[in-house]
């Protein structure tokens, strides 16, 4: 299964599953990240660094720990 | 009429508030700048409005401490009109909060701020349609340019007098039935000011605070649990996820109905942004930007300081010809002059360029990018990227730095970040570093102290993490677009920060300086110095007169330097102190016990016990570090 951590720059992905407790789920939902959403990877994780995503026109940074809990599939 | 500004972080609530109330609160381009609320009274025509600027919240389910504050205020039922401030360029997400606000059934105005930015992204929003959907006035503003702000009071009045309560947008029928079921069994007296539907939805979502409260009514709690389970089995997902997806679906529907999306304007801003967060170039740029700011502050400060100081010096030297030396009047006048010149000549020349630099960085939106770049490094000390923000703010002043730890989610992160934040050289300690080490030894030595300081913070962070292991998932943070700072905002913000120094710190400097003169006159200073003699002379190897100055430094850190000139009775310290002594004095001042203001902030954020621990820890740290450096310098120096 692919997570946000192993997606290359510029790729579009669809979010399939978010694992983790209610805390993380709610926090991501607040920032407008939901299952089924399509996001673009602006900066992929580098040396364990965070991932930068674009979703509906704005940017969100996710640390590697969080990103690795979000399962995705590439679209297009 | 009481109007509360409610909106997601970085939507521009404070900018609007400042535009309406005059400049009262500090704004910045990063999510979570406002951590406590500000109230102001504004009179327009014959009507007085009380406006409240609340910390940003992503949803009415609070995640961090700042959000909890907002929620408490909103739920207390003190507001007559809610102005929902929305960053128009993030409309799709922001509407989720709007949906939750409608459930509170308070007259509302929707304010689409930063409409210019939305247009740059190619978004066209149909405000008539949006207004019709929610049944409340919708206005467009560009707060940082002051556009559209005049419409806020007009619309708020309209919403209040016509009682324009927002329409609730219904979820799917099966969920609505569940909500209704809970609504019916909530006891009348349970948060009687808040609509039952809101409570029912939050209980379904498993809201911690409300669930805790409803435990007093076990039969309700059981029913809620039962329904949550039913939803889980029928939808195959947790009830909170189901509600959130429902809300998300509703917002996306509304968003698509009211917005037309065209081609975004690809601009140089995106290219710069790309460069700033580049995985290779981002770090040298970060270093250059920070180094550049300190270099400019140092150069400009020195340029202003030297002529100013010489004016005061010549005046102080002439003093014995005006008043009789060794008289009490002479001592008081000398203390007054030295305190006055300490503020004007030493602190202000460095403070102004420093505040301008910090403000520009904040308003551009560079700080969240730093958080992004530094995330990996921060993990090494058991924190994540967001902790960078309190750290950077602490370079200005530790008090807002400690308060900014509220943007962190876990108490553990808040404790470690606050503890490390108070070690960061604030503007006051910057003046000490520049005024002593920079002025007498050189800019490189001063820069070296900053690097040494960072090094110590990293090690201490790594040690603290060993004792309190990391459990947080990590960075989840919005990165707002880069913005061009407006001249007015930079000017006003610098002024607001400087005003704090002039009104609070400077008088304190002058008074303390006079007190020191008194102590000298009555020879009490020697007694105090005698008490501190073992620490000051034996451990730190400093002249014994410095004991008293270090004691004063607890009030304001720059006091210890200004007192030092007075205590050593010279304006040229290099004649009475060695370079090693100057460095040790500066290091001790940087690390030992936070100033009174910071201690106050720590007590508010962490409680008395933890504050005590932090204070003792910092004193020990200062002694150990000074000792190590003293030994090292005596070997290699």
């Amino acid at each position: 299964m692919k997570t946000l951590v192993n997606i290359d720059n510029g790729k579009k992905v669809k979010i399939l599953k978010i694992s983790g407790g209610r805390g993380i789920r709610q926090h991501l939902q607040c920032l407008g990240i939901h299952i089924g959403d399509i996001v673009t990877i602006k900066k992929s994780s580098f040396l364990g660094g965070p991932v930068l995503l674009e979703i509906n026109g704005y940017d969100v940074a996710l640390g590697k720990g969080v990103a690795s809990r979000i399962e995705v599939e590439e679209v297009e | 009429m009481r109007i509360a500004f409610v909106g997601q972080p970085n939507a521009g609530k404070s900018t609007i508030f400042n535009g309406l109330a005059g400049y009262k609160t500090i704004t910045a381009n990063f999510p979570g700048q406002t951590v406590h609320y500000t109230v102001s009274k504004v009179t327009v025509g014959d009507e007085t409005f009380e406006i409240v600027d609340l910390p940003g919240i992503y949803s009415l389910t609070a995640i961090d401490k700042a959000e909890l504050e907002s929620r408490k205020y909103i739920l207390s039922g003190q507001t007559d009109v809610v102005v929902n401030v929305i960053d128009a360029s993030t409309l799709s997400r922001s509407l989720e909060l709007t949906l939750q606000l409608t459930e509170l059934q308070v007259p509302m105005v929707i304010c689409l701020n930063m409409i210019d930015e939305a247009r740059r992204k190619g978004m066209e929003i149909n405000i008539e349609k949006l207004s019709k959907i929610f049944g409340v006035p919708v206005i467009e503003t560009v707060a940082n340019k002051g556009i559209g702000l005049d419409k806020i009071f007009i619309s708020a009045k309209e919403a209040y007098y016509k009682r324009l309560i927002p329409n609730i947008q219904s979820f799917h029928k099966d969920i609505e039935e569940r909500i209704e079921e809970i609504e019916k069994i909530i006891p009348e007296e349970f948060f009687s000011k808040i609509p039952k539907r809101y409570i029912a939805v939050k209980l379904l979502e498993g809201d911690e605070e409300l669930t805790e409260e409803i435990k007093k009514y076990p039969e309700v709690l059981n029913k809620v649990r039962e329904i949550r389970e039913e939803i889980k089995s029928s939808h195959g997902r947790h009830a909170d996820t189901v509600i959130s997806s429902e809300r998300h679906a509703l917002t996306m529907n509304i968003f698509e109905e009211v917005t037309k999306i065209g081609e975004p304007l690809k601009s140089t801003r995106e290219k710069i942004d790309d460069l700033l967060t580049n995985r290779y170039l981002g770090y040298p740029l970060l270093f250059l930007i920070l180094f550049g700011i300190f270099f400019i502050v140092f150069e400009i400060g020195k340029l202003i300081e030297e002529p100013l100081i010489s004016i005061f010096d010549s005046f102080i030297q002439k003093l014995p010809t005006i008043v009789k030396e060794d008289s009490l009047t002479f001592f008081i006048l000398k203390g007054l002059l030295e305190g006055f010149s300490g503020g004007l000549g030493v602190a202000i020349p460095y403070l102004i360029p420093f505040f301008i630099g910090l403000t520009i960085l904040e308003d551009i939106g560079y700080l969240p990018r730093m958080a992004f770049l530094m995330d990996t490094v921060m993990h090494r000390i058991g924190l994540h990227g967001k902790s960078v923000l309190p750290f950077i703010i602490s370079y200005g002043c530790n008090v807002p730095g400690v308060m900014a730890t509220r943007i962190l989610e876990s108490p553990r992160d808040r404790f470690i970040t606050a503890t490390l934040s108070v070690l960061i050289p604030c503007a006051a300690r910057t003046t000490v570093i520049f005024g002593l080490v920079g002025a007498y030894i050189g800019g490189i030595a001063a820069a070296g102290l900053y690097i040494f300081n960072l090094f110590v913070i990293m090690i201490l962070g790594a040690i603290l993490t060993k004792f309190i292991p990391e459990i947080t998932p990590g960075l989840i943070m919005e990165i707002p677009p880069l913005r061009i700072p407006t001249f007015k905002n930079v000017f006003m913000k610098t002024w607001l920060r400087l005003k704090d120094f002039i009104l609070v710190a400077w008088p304190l400097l002058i008074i303390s300086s006079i007190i020191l003169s008194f102590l000298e006159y009555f020879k009490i200073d020697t007694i105090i110095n005698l008490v501190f003699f073992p620490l000051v002379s034996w451990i730190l190897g400093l002249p014994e007169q410095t004991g008293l100055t270090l004691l004063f430094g607890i009030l304001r850190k720059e006091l210890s330097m200004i007192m030092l000139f007075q205590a050593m009775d010279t304006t040229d310290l290099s004649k009475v102190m060695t370079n090693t002594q100057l460095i040790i004095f500066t290091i001790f001042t940087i690390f030992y016990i936070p100033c009174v203001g910071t201690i106050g902030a720590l007590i508010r954020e962490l409680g008395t016990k933890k504050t005590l621990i932090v204070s003792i820890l910092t004193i020990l740290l200062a002694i150990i570090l000074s000792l190590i450096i003293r030994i090292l310098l005596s070997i290699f120096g």
Side-chain angles (χ1 to χ4, degrees):
Chain A
M1 217 8 148
K2 273 193 169 173
T3 67
L4 273 180
V5 181
N6 22 56
I7 303 292
D8 293 330
N9 267 359
K11 287 265 165 37
K12 270 194 173 150
V13 295
K14 186 175 173 186
I15 296 175
L16 299 178
K17 193 180 163 203
I18 300 172
S19 40
R22 200 168 55 97
I24 292 198
R25 285 204 311 269
Q26 271 183 353
H27 202 162
L28 290 171
Q29 284 159 8
C30 288
L31 282 164
I33 299 172
H34 304 75
I35 292 164
D37 283 344
I38 299 201
V39 301
T40 311
I41 310 294
K42 278 181 102 174
K43 306 257 168 176
S44 59
S45 175
F46 178 64
L47 296 176
V51 180
L52 190 66
L53 314 170
E54 191 194 312
I55 175 160
N56 288 326
Y58 52 88
D59 296 348
V60 175
L62 297 180
K64 195 185 163 227
V66 185
S68 66
R69 296 188 197 186
I70 302 178
E71 283 176 22
V72 294
E73 68 174 7
E74 282 184 34
V75 291
E76 279 174 306
Chain B
M1 188 188 309
R2 189 175 281 161
I3 305 172
F5 291 105
V6 186
Q8 298 199 329
N10 214 33
K13 294 169 295 299
S14 297
T15 311
I16 290 180
F17 181 85
N18 284 338
L20 296 175
Y23 215 94
K24 294 248 169 63
T25 94
I26 296 234
T27 60
N29 184 11
F30 65 78
Q33 162 65 27
T34 309
V35 288
H36 56 125
Y37 62 81
T38 320
V39 185
S40 183
K41 282 207 169 97
V42 181
T43 307
V44 181
D46 48 5
E47 196 147 7
T48 301
F49 299 89
E50 198 172 300
I51 55 177
V52 188
D53 177 33
L54 293 169
I57 46 174
Y58 282 110
S59 86
L60 283 180
T61 306
I63 285 170
D64 58 39
K65 252 179 115 183
E67 290 194 19
L68 207 62
E69 256 201 49
S70 281
R71 186 174 112 144
K72 244 192 236 156
Y73 188 89
I74 298 166
L75 295 187
S76 67
Q78 309 171 41
T79 2
D80 298 317
V81 180
V82 166
V83 175
N84 177 206
V85 181
I86 290 177
D87 168 358
S89 65
T90 65
L91 183 68
S92 64
R93 184 193 71 205
S94 309
L95 283 174
E96 296 199 15
L97 176 65
T98 312
L99 284 184
Q100 296 179 53
L101 289 172
T102 62
E103 284 163 357
L104 293 173
Q105 294 291 291
V106 176
M108 189 162 97
V109 174
I110 295 175
C111 170
L112 296 174
N113 192 28
M114 304 190 214
I115 199 82
D116 53 338
E117 222 155 86
R119 294 207 177 107
R120 274 167 29 90
K121 284 186 178 170
M123 292 167 67
E124 251 344 295
I125 302 168
N126 185 335
I127 61 168
E128 286 81 23
K129 242 186 204 169
L130 191 61
S131 169
K132 217 170 158 195
I133 291 171
F134 284 104
V136 299
V138 177
I139 52 176
E140 292 180 330
T141 57
V142 183
N144 62 352
K145 296 189 184 121
I147 299 170
L149 295 183
D150 49 326
K151 286 181 283 190
I152 289 175
F153 287 131
I154 301 171
S155 305
K157 262 163 78 171
E158 188 193 341
Y160 180 67
Y161 289 114
K162 293 191 188 157
R163 288 207 62 74
L164 299 175
I165 309 268
N167 303 328
I168 285 175
Q169 312 293 313
S170 303
F171 298 133
H172 279 111
K173 201 164 159 268
D174 57 325
I175 301 291
E176 282 296 331
E177 281 167 6
R178 297 309 198 186
I179 294 171
E180 213 173 303
E181 254 180 85
I182 300 179
E183 233 176 289
K184 277 186 199 141
I185 54 165
I186 294 169
E188 194 47 51
E189 69 277 13
F190 189 75
F191 288 97
S192 55
K193 278 185 190 153
I194 307 166
K196 295 286 171 278
R197 181 196 160 88
Y198 171 82
I199 299 173
V201 173
K202 285 293 152 199
L203 285 174
L204 261 189
E205 283 184 275
D207 180 89
E208 271 168 43
E209 207 189 335
L210 286 173
T211 306
E212 198 53 45
E213 289 291 326
I214 204 81
K215 279 184 181 154
K216 287 180 214 145
Y217 308 91
E219 68 293 350
V220 183
L221 181 68
N222 287 337
K223 185 74 190 164
V224 170
R225 282 199 176 135
E226 203 178 286
I227 291 177
R228 277 175 61 94
E229 279 309 310
E230 276 172 35
I231 291 178
K232 198 181 162 188
S233 61
S234 64
H235 284 77
R237 280 183 287 175
H238 292 282
D240 54 281
T241 315
V242 173
I243 299 259
S244 132
S245 324
E246 288 275 325
R247 205 176 273 136
H248 184 52
L250 273 178
T251 20
M252 288 318 277
N253 281 342
I254 298 174
F255 176 69
E256 275 156 25
E257 217 180 309
V258 300
T259 325
K260 263 205 281 226
I261 302 201
E263 268 305 298
L265 299 165
K266 266 282 171 195
S267 63
T268 38
R269 267 189 228 192
E270 264 87 293
K271 282 181 201 141
I272 295 170
D273 194 6
D274 212 39
L275 203 65
L276 286 178
T277 48
N278 185 285
R279 59 177 55 158
Y280 305 110
L281 292 174
Y283 297 95
L285 279 173
L286 174 84
F287 180 78
L288 271 180
I289 289 168
L290 291 186
F291 187 79
I293 284 184
F294 281 112
F295 183 76
I296 293 168
V297 169
F298 179 63
E299 288 300 320
I300 295 180
K302 216 169 58 173
L303 217 65
I304 308 170
E305 182 193 344
E306 278 163 8
L308 267 179
I309 285 290
S310 64
I311 295 172
F312 281 106
D313 273 356
S314 62
F315 199 70
I316 291 170
Q317 267 149 25
K318 271 188 220 135
L319 206 57
T321 59
I322 304 164
V323 221
K324 198 163 81 64
E325 213 166 341
D326 293 330
S327 67
L328 187 60
T329 339
F330 173 78
F331 271 89
I332 292 172
L333 272 176
K334 193 174 85 129
L336 183 84
L337 267 174
E338 273 165 339
F340 188 78
S341 75
L344 187 71
V346 183
I348 290 178
Y350 294 109
L351 282 182
I352 293 176
F354 182 79
F355 287 155
I356 292 176
L358 187 68
T359 305
I360 291 176
L361 273 194
E362 281 179 354
D363 285 9
I364 287 178
Y366 189 58
L367 299 194
R369 280 151 183 92
M370 283 183 73
F372 178 78
L373 287 170
M374 298 300 286
D375 189 52
T376 323
V377 181
M378 299 304 278
H379 272 293
R380 296 252 176 278
I381 58 172
L383 295 170
H384 62 73
K386 249 191 197 175
S387 297
V388 168
L389 300 183
F391 287 164
I392 297 294
I393 296 164
S394 289
Y395 277 104
C397 174
N398 286 177
V399 175
V402 168
M403 275 161 63
T405 58
R406 286 190 200 170
I407 63 169
L408 300 169
E409 299 86 2
S410 81
R412 169 205 176 267
D413 286 7
R414 283 199 290 273
F415 174 69
I416 296 184
T417 310
T419 309
L420 299 179
S421 290
V422 302
L423 300 176
I424 285 180
C426 57
R429 281 171 273 180
T430 295
T431 63
V432 180
I433 295 175
F434 285 150
L436 294 182
V437 176
Y440 290 105
I441 304 172
I444 292 175
L449 280 183
Y450 279 98
I451 294 167
F452 173 69
N453 174 265
L454 273 181
F455 180 70
V456 171
I457 288 171
M458 294 286 291
I459 290 181
L460 195 69
I463 295 172
L464 282 176
T465 302
K466 282 269 178 301
F467 285 105
I468 329 169
E470 184 176 7
I471 35 158
T472 42
L475 180 72
I476 303 179
M477 185 186 198
E478 189 189 349
I479 310 281
L482 291 176
R483 299 195 172 118
I484 299 165
T486 61
F487 176 77
K488 190 182 158 205
N489 198 43
V490 172
F491 178 79
M492 290 308 285
K493 214 155 123 182
T494 304
W495 166 238
L496 204 66
R497 285 179 162 148
L498 197 66
K499 203 167 87 180
D500 192 52
F501 174 83
I502 293 173
L503 294 182
V504 182
W506 204 7
L508 199 66
L509 280 179
I510 297 173
I511 293 166
S512 311
S513 187
I514 295 172
I515 292 174
L516 188 68
S517 281
F518 263 113
L519 294 179
E520 260 177 47
Y521 183 76
F522 293 109
K523 306 267 183 290
I524 306 170
D525 55 336
T526 43
I527 302 169
I528 298 174
N529 283 332
L530 207 64
V531 177
F532 286 103
F533 186 78
L535 170 71
V536 169
S537 284
W538 294 341
I539 300 179
L540 303 180
L542 296 173
E544 57 180 79
Q545 298 97 303
T546 54
L548 190 64
T549 65
L550 291 173
L551 189 66
F552 271 95
I554 299 172
L555 289 176
R556 288 282 305 189
K557 292 273 173 144
E558 65 266 71
L559 259 181
S560 57
M561 172 177 69
I562 289 148
M563 306 274 108
L564 185 65
F565 287 103
Q566 203 181 343
M568 303 302 284
D569 211 14
T570 175
T571 52
D572 186 5
L573 287 172
S574 61
K575 284 181 190 140
V576 286
M577 280 170 87
T578 64
N579 281 356
T580 306
Q581 283 178 326
L582 285 170
I583 290 175
I584 298 294
F585 184 87
T586 310
I587 287 179
F588 194 79
T589 310
I590 293 174
F591 289 104
Y592 87 117
I593 198 160
C595 71
V596 178
T598 309
I599 290 178
L602 279 174
I603 291 175
R604 265 204 307 280
E605 300 303 320
L606 303 176
T608 323
K609 211 179 103 195
K610 282 185 179 149
T611 305
L612 198 69
I613 297 174
V614 173
S615 303
I616 294 170
L617 192 76
T618 52
I619 294 175
L620 287 176
L621 185 71
I623 294 174
I624 294 168
L625 290 174
S626 304
L627 206 60
I628 293 174
I629 294 298
R630 190 179 161 204
I631 294 166
L632 286 180
L633 284 177
S634 70
I635 298 170
F636 300 105

